[in-house]
Amino acid sequence: MEGKIFIAGVMILCVVVGHAQEGYYSETIPAVHMEEKMTKLHFFLHDILSGQNPAVVQIAKANLPQNNSFASFGTLSATNDAMRVGVEPTSKLIGRAKGLYVLASQGQDDEMALVMYMDFGFTTGKFNGSSFVVCSRNPVMETQRELAVF
Ligand SMILES: *[C@@H]1O[C@H](CO)[C@@H](O)[C@H](O)[C@H]1NC(C)=O
Ligand SMILES: *[C@@H]1O[C@H](CO)[C@@H](O)[C@H](O)[C@H]1NC(C)=O
């Protein structure tokens, strides 16, 4: 009995060493297709632009003349917005949205839009530790917007 266990141990070691020598992948197995589910998420993004603790800070700016009508084109900002259950700044915090905004409008003839990359990470409840990513154009002057979510 002890002998058999010892042999099995040696074999496992050989398999592991074999994979380590071969390279960067192990076995290929068929993907498990899970049933699709839908979850509706409701929360408010506290995108605070000013004050003592702004949630958005400018990190780079294009070298364009300041009298240019699209002088803000190319401005890049880092964000760390609270995700809360309500509009009040004291309402329950459920996560944080972290990422980047770039101002992408080229002036009067172009829509007022920024392009954003943001990771919305949950820090509480059923989805604690999970996140989704918004990587999309965001036409900020429109009251209703559709953004690409991954
Ligand atoms: C913007 O400023 C530059 C340099 O200060 C000047 O040469 C140019 O004429 C100005 N353009 C406009 C549209 O005012
Ligand atoms: C959320 O997950 C983190 C990391 O696993 C854990 O430390 C934390 O206690 C969890 N918070 C809640 C409210 O479940």
Side-chain angles (χ1 to χ4, degrees):
M1 197 63 188
E2 266 181 39
K4 278 184 185 168
I5 290 167
F6 176 73
I7 289 165
V10 170
M11 281 176 69
I12 289 165
L13 192 68
C14 291
V15 170
V16 171
V17 170
H19 278 146
Q21 285 170 348
E22 195 177 306
Y24 64 96
Y25 61 90
S26 57
E27 61 185 326
T28 300
I29 54 169
V32 179
H33 294 287
M34 285 184 283
E35 200 186 319
E36 265 187 39
K37 291 187 205 166
M38 184 164 78
T39 303
K40 292 182 178 178
L41 302 168
H42 316 255
F43 60 86
F44 290 83
L45 187 65
H46 289 243
D47 193 44
I48 317 236
L49 303 174
S50 57
Q52 273 212 314
N53 292 304
V56 182
V57 289
Q58 187 178 306
I59 52 178
K61 200 173 183 327
N63 189 18
L64 292 170
Q66 287 310 296
N67 60 2
N68 190 308
S69 67
F70 47 92
S72 60
F73 174 49
T75 302
L76 182 67
S77 301
T79 71
N80 184 338
D81 294 346
M83 291 154 62
R84 295 185 186 277
V85 293
V87 286
E88 308 78 26
T90 51
S91 69
K92 187 175 160 52
L93 181 74
I94 57 143
R96 303 205 73 92
K98 300 173 182 177
L100 298 168
Y101 280 155
V102 63
L103 297 178
S105 172
Q106 278 213 313
Q108 282 151 357
D109 300 335
D110 194 9
E111 63 170 1
M112 185 59 207
L114 45 85
V115 175
M116 60 192 277
Y117 156 73
M118 240 177 174
D119 179 283
F120 290 72
F122 297 96
T123 54
T124 189
K126 186 180 172 186
F127 300 110
N128 184 15
S130 295
S131 67
F132 64 89
V133 169
V134 172
C135 192
S136 189
R137 182 180 60 87
N138 182 351
V140 287
M141 302 312 271
E142 289 173 26
T143 47
Q144 282 190 21
R145 296 168 231 164
E146 241 176 70
L147 277 70
V149 176
F150 296 89

